[in-house]
Amino acid sequence: MSIGNVSAVLVHGAWADGSSWSEVIERLKAHGIHAVAAPLPLSGLHEDVAALDRTLERIDGPVVVAGHAYAGAVIGSTRADNVKALVYIAALAPAEGETVSDVFYRGEAHALAPKLSPDRHGLIWLPEEAFAAAFAQHASAQELTVLSAVQRPISVSSIGEPVGRPLWKDRPSWFLTAGQDRMINPDTQHFMAQRMNARVHSHQVDHTPIVTAPDVVTDVIVEAVQAVSAR
């Protein structure tokens, strides 16, 4: 099986959309890997998993699914047969019975992490200043402008729903831990990566390396794709 037979599905997290993967998509294409960004409504974990499954249904052949941040819970909750490996990018990986909130708040918050609370619609928005302070402190001014402009809020119900048996118990997984993450405690990332027995790549990147360190992210996804294609 050649690397070209394995597709990559890229899943955005909270306060982002599929465009956050644009730099990675271009690099994967240069490696001969077809990539699709799965759009999530961020309206509830169950609904987000259903949205991912709809994207996976459209793809023939084996798939490596990569999730950033909140999307780690989403990719771990799919049961799609064509998913052959999982890649966590500074992501949250709840175990069975845990919620996104459980793991997100497990470690001590960074001093510059934003204080989050829902609006009257039950949606959590990221304060504009938090993009430069904590979400992507290594981003350029232009990148920050776009990130802030396209942000999508996440529903409270998305982070409060317990997950079932996570797929990482049954599929190989990779984990890029972000040493300069100000949103998800790096120690929490290492804890999750170790308990899921993931292949760990640790880098001194911020919370959103899919934007600020796309080469590093691409390398991890390519490694997972090559492992799947070699089977």
Side-chain angles (χ1 to χ4, degrees):
M1 182 185 291
S2 71
I3 194 171
N5 294 110
V6 183
S7 299
V9 170
L10 313 174
V11 192
H12 66 85
W15 312 300
D17 65 9
S19 68
S20 59
W21 288 97
S22 59
E23 294 289 334
V24 175
I25 291 169
E26 292 176 9
R27 285 160 173 78
L28 290 174
K29 183 177 181 180
H31 283 275
I33 299 170
H34 175 61
V36 175
L40 300 186
L42 300 178
S43 54
L45 182 60
H46 180 79
E47 294 171 6
D48 291 335
V49 175
L52 171 58
D53 286 344
R54 288 192 293 271
T55 296
L56 291 168
E57 286 175 8
R58 297 170 43 226
I59 299 176
D60 295 325
V63 176
V64 169
V65 181
H68 172 237
Y70 160 74
V74 180
I75 69 173
S77 296
T78 183
R79 294 294 178 268
D81 290 337
N82 57 342
V83 175
K84 304 305 180 184
L86 304 169
V87 179
Y88 290 75
I89 306 297
L92 295 165
E96 186 169 3
E98 290 181 340
T99 67
V100 169
S101 183
D102 287 338
V103 285
F104 182 75
Y105 290 108
R106 180 181 184 275
E108 184 178 352
H110 191 278
L112 295 176
K115 301 295 188 291
L116 302 172
S117 59
D119 64 12
R120 63 188 181 90
H121 303 289
L123 301 175
I124 303 170
W125 295 84
L126 194 66
E128 185 172 354
E129 63 275 9
F131 284 94
F135 191 78
Q137 71 267 22
H138 296 166
S140 67
Q142 181 180 3
E143 289 166 341
L144 289 167
T145 296
V146 173
L147 286 170
S148 178
V150 304
Q151 79 152 305
R152 301 178 64 185
I154 186 167
S155 169
V156 171
S157 60
S158 293
I159 65 174
E161 183 179 332
V163 305
R165 178 184 173 86
L167 192 61
W168 48 259
K169 283 186 171 290
D170 306 304
R171 301 286 192 281
S173 60
W174 279 254
F175 204 119
L176 190 160
T177 62
Q180 297 184 30
D181 198 321
R182 297 175 180 175
M183 296 292 294
I184 301 173
N185 189 309
D187 290 340
T188 297
Q189 295 180 40
H190 283 286
F191 164 78
M192 293 183 293
Q194 288 171 1
R195 74 174 178 181
M196 59 198 286
N197 198 29
R199 296 162 176 82
V200 180
H201 292 258
S202 300
H203 293 274
Q204 291 302 311
V205 294
D206 65 18
H207 176 66
T208 312
I210 59 175
V211 173
T212 62
D215 289 326
V216 169
V217 174
T218 301
D219 287 347
V220 179
I221 297 173
V222 169
E223 182 181 308
V225 169
Q226 290 174 334
V228 169
S229 67
R231 290 180 199 164

